[in-house]
Amino acid sequence: MSETTEQLDDIDRRILNALQIDASHTNAELAELVHVSQPTCLRRVKQLTENGVIERQVAIVAPDKVGARLTAIVEITLDVQAADRMEEFENVVADEAAVLQCYRVSPGPDFVLMVQVADMPAYHALAHRLFTTHSNVRNVKAYFSTFRSKFETRIAV
């Protein structure tokens, strides 16, 4: 267990669970929901944020409502796996808005990307920009989602 995990108490866990369900609560609402005073709640949320436990608070957008109907899970294998070449590829995909997540993985491919685009022509354009023009990309294997049966952002705390 990490040092931060060991320092989380029941109040922190209740706050984190409540925020993961709905981060739009006011401090007063959150305090009432987790059964602590408002000053305690405010201090705890601030502390969890400063310690990096809460990375950020965002709105989750429905992809189909904004024209991003195609989800692709893409495996990438590089020719050269030296640390600087891995970082170089990560920097390329970091600048691409359609790449929602990028993971270094082992064994198998070097990276797995989660990509959200409008349609197949948009995926082809992205693949050309990121993969075919990048000299260190050896292999690309893409899987296209036909149905999302589960999507969750909560982490058990």
Side-chain angles (χ1 to χ4, degrees), residues 60-71 100 116-117 148 151:
I60 298 172
V61 175
D64 60 321
K65 304 290 185 194
V66 295
R69 291 179 282 284
L70 183 63
T71 302
L100 303 181
Q116 196 77 44
V117 291
R148 181 170 80 177
F151 174 79

Side-chain angles (χ1 to χ4, degrees), residues 126-147:
L126 174 128
H128 180 72
R129 278 192 314 274
L130 295 184
F131 314 139
T132 59
T133 59
H134 195 282
S135 64
N136 196 33
V137 173
R138 178 178 57 198
N139 190 39
V140 178
K141 188 173 186 179
Y143 304 89
F144 300 98
S145 172
T146 57
F147 177 74

Side-chain angles (χ1 to χ4, degrees), residues 22-99:
D22 185 354
S24 70
H25 290 296
T26 65
N27 184 61
E29 293 168 340
L30 183 60
E32 184 176 335
L33 194 62
V34 300
H35 308 291
V36 296
S37 70
Q38 291 181 30
T40 296
C41 188
L42 189 62
R43 180 176 47 80
R44 292 293 188 107
V45 170
K46 183 179 180 203
Q47 190 173 39
L48 288 165
T49 302
E50 288 173 353
N51 290 342
V53 177
I54 297 173
E55 288 186 17
R56 57 188 168 165
Q57 295 184 24
V58 299
I60 298 172
V61 175
D64 60 321
K65 304 290 185 194
V66 295
R69 291 179 282 284
L70 183 63
T71 302
I73 299 96
V74 184
E75 296 179 353
I76 303 294
T77 304
L78 301 180
D79 270 332
V80 179
Q81 289 85 16
D84 61 326
R85 300 302 301 271
M86 301 280 268
E87 284 182 36
E88 176 186 322
F89 181 77
E90 288 169 330
N91 291 334
V92 167
V93 298
D95 292 335
E96 178 61 52
V99 177

